[in-house]
Short mmCIF file of all heavy atoms in Angstrom, two decimals:
data_model
loop_
_atom_site.label_atom_id
_atom_site.label_comp_id
_atom_site.label_asym_id
_atom_site.label_seq_id
_atom_site.Cartn_x
_atom_site.Cartn_y
_atom_site.Cartn_z
N THR A 83 66.76 86.25 205.54
CA THR A 83 67.84 85.40 205.75
C THR A 83 68.14 84.57 204.52
O THR A 83 69.27 84.51 204.10
CB THR A 83 67.57 84.52 206.98
OG1 THR A 83 67.42 85.34 208.02
CG2 THR A 83 68.91 83.69 207.18
N GLU A 84 67.12 83.97 204.08
CA GLU A 84 67.25 83.11 202.80
C GLU A 84 67.69 83.94 201.62
O GLU A 84 68.42 83.41 200.67
CB GLU A 84 65.96 82.28 202.57
CG GLU A 84 65.80 81.22 203.60
CD GLU A 84 66.85 80.24 203.74
OE1 GLU A 84 67.36 79.69 202.74
OE2 GLU A 84 67.14 79.81 204.90
N GLY A 85 67.04 85.10 201.50
CA GLY A 85 67.42 85.90 200.36
C GLY A 85 68.92 86.36 200.32
O GLY A 85 69.51 86.34 199.38
N LEU A 86 69.51 86.69 201.53
CA LEU A 86 70.83 86.96 201.60
C LEU A 86 71.74 85.72 201.39
O LEU A 86 72.78 85.96 200.68
CB LEU A 86 71.17 87.61 202.96
CG LEU A 86 70.68 88.99 203.20
CD1 LEU A 86 70.94 89.47 204.61
CD2 LEU A 86 71.35 90.00 202.18
N LYS A 87 71.24 84.66 201.78
CA LYS A 87 72.08 83.42 201.57
C LYS A 87 72.05 83.15 200.00
O LYS A 87 73.07 82.69 199.51
CB LYS A 87 71.39 82.20 202.24
CG LYS A 87 71.71 82.11 203.65
CD LYS A 87 71.08 80.83 204.28
CE LYS A 87 71.08 80.74 205.74
NZ LYS A 87 70.37 79.64 206.16
N LEU A 88 70.97 83.34 199.30
CA LEU A 88 70.83 83.10 197.97
C LEU A 88 71.79 84.11 197.16
O LEU A 88 72.56 83.60 196.26
CB LEU A 88 69.45 83.22 197.49
CG LEU A 88 69.13 83.00 195.98
CD1 LEU A 88 69.22 81.55 195.77
CD2 LEU A 88 67.93 83.52 195.52
N VAL A 89 71.65 85.37 197.47
CA VAL A 89 72.48 86.35 196.76
C VAL A 89 73.96 86.04 196.94
O VAL A 89 74.76 86.01 196.00
CB VAL A 89 72.14 87.78 197.22
CG1 VAL A 89 73.06 88.80 196.68
CG2 VAL A 89 70.75 88.18 196.75
N SER A 90 74.39 85.76 198.19
CA SER A 90 75.79 85.59 198.49
C SER A 90 76.25 84.26 197.86
O SER A 90 77.49 84.18 197.37
CB SER A 90 76.08 85.47 200.02
OG SER A 90 75.43 84.40 200.61
N GLY A 91 75.39 83.23 197.82
CA GLY A 91 75.78 81.97 197.07
C GLY A 91 75.76 82.10 195.55
O GLY A 91 76.62 81.37 194.89
N GLN A 92 75.05 82.97 194.99
CA GLN A 92 74.98 83.10 193.60
C GLN A 92 76.05 84.21 193.05
O GLN A 92 76.22 84.30 191.88
CB GLN A 92 73.62 83.57 193.11
CG GLN A 92 72.61 82.48 193.20
CD GLN A 92 72.89 81.24 192.63
OE1 GLN A 92 73.40 81.13 191.46
NE2 GLN A 92 73.06 80.12 193.40
N PHE A 93 76.55 85.01 193.89
CA PHE A 93 77.51 86.12 193.55
C PHE A 93 78.61 85.47 192.63
O PHE A 93 78.83 86.17 191.55
CB PHE A 93 77.92 86.75 194.72
CG PHE A 93 78.75 88.02 194.36
CD1 PHE A 93 78.08 89.13 193.86
CD2 PHE A 93 80.11 88.10 194.37
CE1 PHE A 93 78.65 90.30 193.56
CE2 PHE A 93 80.80 89.27 194.09
CZ PHE A 93 80.07 90.41 193.59
N PRO A 94 79.37 84.47 192.93
CA PRO A 94 80.35 84.03 192.14
C PRO A 94 79.84 83.61 190.67
O PRO A 94 80.54 83.90 189.63
CB PRO A 94 80.96 82.79 192.72
CG PRO A 94 80.45 82.82 194.19
CD PRO A 94 79.21 83.62 194.17
N TRP A 95 78.68 82.99 190.56
CA TRP A 95 78.22 82.51 189.39
C TRP A 95 77.58 83.83 188.46
O TRP A 95 77.63 83.91 187.25
CB TRP A 95 77.02 81.58 189.43
CG TRP A 95 77.55 80.52 190.40
CD1 TRP A 95 76.96 79.98 191.45
CD2 TRP A 95 78.80 79.69 190.14
NE1 TRP A 95 77.79 78.95 191.95
CE2 TRP A 95 78.74 78.76 191.21
CE3 TRP A 95 79.77 79.68 189.18
CZ2 TRP A 95 79.92 77.81 191.28
CZ3 TRP A 95 80.82 78.84 189.30
CH2 TRP A 95 80.79 77.91 190.35
N MET A 96 77.21 84.74 189.19
CA MET A 96 76.70 86.05 188.51
C MET A 96 78.00 86.75 187.97
O MET A 96 77.99 87.16 186.75
CB MET A 96 76.18 87.08 189.58
CG MET A 96 74.80 86.65 190.10
SD MET A 96 74.20 87.50 191.52
CE MET A 96 74.18 89.19 190.99
N LEU A 97 79.17 86.80 188.71
CA LEU A 97 80.39 87.28 188.12
C LEU A 97 80.93 86.40 186.94
O LEU A 97 81.37 86.94 185.93
CB LEU A 97 81.45 87.40 189.25
CG LEU A 97 81.22 88.62 190.11
CD1 LEU A 97 82.39 88.50 191.23
CD2 LEU A 97 81.30 89.89 189.45
N ALA A 98 80.72 85.18 187.00
CA ALA A 98 81.27 84.24 185.98
C ALA A 98 80.41 84.45 184.65
O ALA A 98 80.95 84.52 183.63
CB ALA A 98 81.24 82.82 186.46
N ALA A 99 79.04 84.63 184.94
CA ALA A 99 78.24 84.82 183.73
C ALA A 99 78.55 86.18 183.06
O ALA A 99 78.58 86.33 181.80
CB ALA A 99 76.80 84.85 184.15
N LEU A 100 78.83 87.19 183.81
CA LEU A 100 79.23 88.52 183.37
C LEU A 100 80.53 88.42 182.61
O LEU A 100 80.70 88.96 181.51
CB LEU A 100 79.32 89.57 184.52
CG LEU A 100 79.79 90.85 184.12
CD1 LEU A 100 78.86 91.51 183.19
CD2 LEU A 100 80.12 91.75 185.43
N ALA A 101 81.63 87.71 183.21
CA ALA A 101 82.85 87.61 182.57
C ALA A 101 82.65 86.72 181.22
O ALA A 101 83.28 87.04 180.26
CB ALA A 101 83.79 86.83 183.45
N ALA A 102 81.84 85.70 181.23
CA ALA A 102 81.69 84.98 180.02
C ALA A 102 80.96 85.85 178.91
O ALA A 102 81.43 85.78 177.77
CB ALA A 102 80.80 83.70 180.29
N ALA A 103 80.03 86.61 179.22
CA ALA A 103 79.49 87.47 178.16
C ALA A 103 80.37 88.60 177.70
O ALA A 103 80.42 88.77 176.51
CB ALA A 103 78.21 88.16 178.90
N LEU A 104 81.21 89.06 178.62
CA LEU A 104 82.28 90.01 178.21
C LEU A 104 83.35 89.36 177.29
O LEU A 104 83.74 89.97 176.28
CB LEU A 104 82.88 90.67 179.37
CG LEU A 104 82.09 91.73 180.06
CD1 LEU A 104 82.74 92.16 181.42
CD2 LEU A 104 81.79 92.98 179.17
N LEU A 105 83.63 88.21 177.63
CA LEU A 105 84.68 87.45 176.85
C LEU A 105 84.10 87.13 175.36
O LEU A 105 84.82 87.37 174.36
CB LEU A 105 85.04 86.13 177.52
CG LEU A 105 86.00 85.26 176.73
CD1 LEU A 105 87.43 86.07 176.62
CD2 LEU A 105 86.23 84.01 177.55
N ALA A 106 82.76 86.74 175.31
CA ALA A 106 82.26 86.52 174.04
C ALA A 106 82.12 87.71 173.22
O ALA A 106 82.35 87.71 171.95
CB ALA A 106 80.78 85.88 174.23
N VAL A 107 81.83 88.84 173.87
CA VAL A 107 81.73 90.20 173.12
C VAL A 107 83.11 90.49 172.70
O VAL A 107 83.35 91.00 171.41
CB VAL A 107 81.15 91.30 173.99
CG1 VAL A 107 81.40 92.69 173.33
CG2 VAL A 107 79.65 91.04 174.17
N GLY A 108 84.14 90.27 173.51
CA GLY A 108 85.52 90.65 173.09
C GLY A 108 86.06 89.72 171.94
O GLY A 108 86.62 90.20 170.94
N VAL A 109 85.59 88.46 171.89
CA VAL A 109 86.04 87.55 170.79
C VAL A 109 85.32 87.93 169.49
O VAL A 109 85.91 88.04 168.50
CB VAL A 109 85.63 86.05 171.22
CG1 VAL A 109 85.63 85.16 169.96
CG2 VAL A 109 86.52 85.57 172.25
N ARG A 110 84.01 88.40 169.52
CA ARG A 110 83.31 88.79 168.41
C ARG A 110 83.90 90.07 167.88
O ARG A 110 83.98 90.31 166.70
CB ARG A 110 81.84 88.95 168.54
CG ARG A 110 81.11 87.65 168.71
CD ARG A 110 79.66 87.80 168.73
NE ARG A 110 79.17 88.45 167.49
CZ ARG A 110 77.89 88.82 167.37
NH1 ARG A 110 77.08 88.67 168.31
NH2 ARG A 110 77.47 89.51 166.32
N THR A 111 84.27 91.04 168.75
CA THR A 111 84.90 92.27 168.34
C THR A 111 86.24 92.03 167.62
O THR A 111 86.55 92.58 166.60
CB THR A 111 85.12 93.18 169.57
OG1 THR A 111 83.82 93.44 170.21
CG2 THR A 111 85.61 94.44 169.08
N LEU A 112 87.08 91.19 168.22
CA LEU A 112 88.34 90.86 167.57
C LEU A 112 88.19 90.15 166.30
O LEU A 112 88.91 90.48 165.35
CB LEU A 112 89.24 89.97 168.57
CG LEU A 112 89.75 90.74 169.68
CD1 LEU A 112 90.50 89.71 170.61
CD2 LEU A 112 90.68 91.78 169.29
N ARG A 113 87.23 89.29 166.12
CA ARG A 113 87.06 88.53 164.85
C ARG A 113 86.55 89.46 163.80
O ARG A 113 86.78 89.30 162.64
CB ARG A 113 86.04 87.42 165.08
CG ARG A 113 86.66 86.23 165.88
CD ARG A 113 85.85 85.05 165.83
NE ARG A 113 85.79 84.45 164.53
CZ ARG A 113 84.91 83.70 164.05
NH1 ARG A 113 83.83 83.51 164.75
NH2 ARG A 113 84.92 83.25 162.85
N ALA A 114 85.75 90.49 164.07
CA ALA A 114 85.20 91.46 163.25
C ALA A 114 86.27 92.36 162.81
O ALA A 114 86.23 92.86 161.62
CB ALA A 114 84.18 92.29 163.89
N ARG A 115 87.26 92.64 163.54
CA ARG A 115 88.30 93.66 163.25
C ARG A 115 89.48 92.84 162.36
O ARG A 115 90.25 93.63 161.78
CB ARG A 115 88.94 94.24 164.39
CG ARG A 115 87.99 95.14 165.03
CD ARG A 115 88.84 95.89 166.15
NE ARG A 115 87.88 96.82 166.88
CZ ARG A 115 88.05 97.37 167.98
NH1 ARG A 115 89.15 97.19 168.65
NH2 ARG A 115 87.18 98.14 168.50
N ARG A 116 89.52 91.71 162.46
CA ARG A 116 90.63 90.89 161.79
C ARG A 116 90.38 90.94 160.33
O ARG A 116 89.16 90.72 159.80
CB ARG A 116 90.70 89.54 162.24
CG ARG A 116 91.90 88.74 161.72
CD ARG A 116 91.98 87.29 162.43
NE ARG A 116 90.80 86.61 162.27
CZ ARG A 116 90.60 85.42 162.78
NH1 ARG A 116 91.50 84.84 163.44
NH2 ARG A 116 89.42 84.83 162.69
#
Side-chain angles (χ1 to χ4, degrees):
T83 305
E84 292 299 319
L86 285 174
K87 284 182 190 177
L88 181 75
V89 171
S90 64
Q92 291 306 308
F93 190 73
W95 308 124
M96 292 165 59
L97 283 179
L100 175 65
L104 286 172
L105 181 64
V107 167
V109 166
R110 282 191 61 189
T111 302
L112 287 176
R113 289 188 71 205
R115 289 185 183 168
R116 191 171 53 180

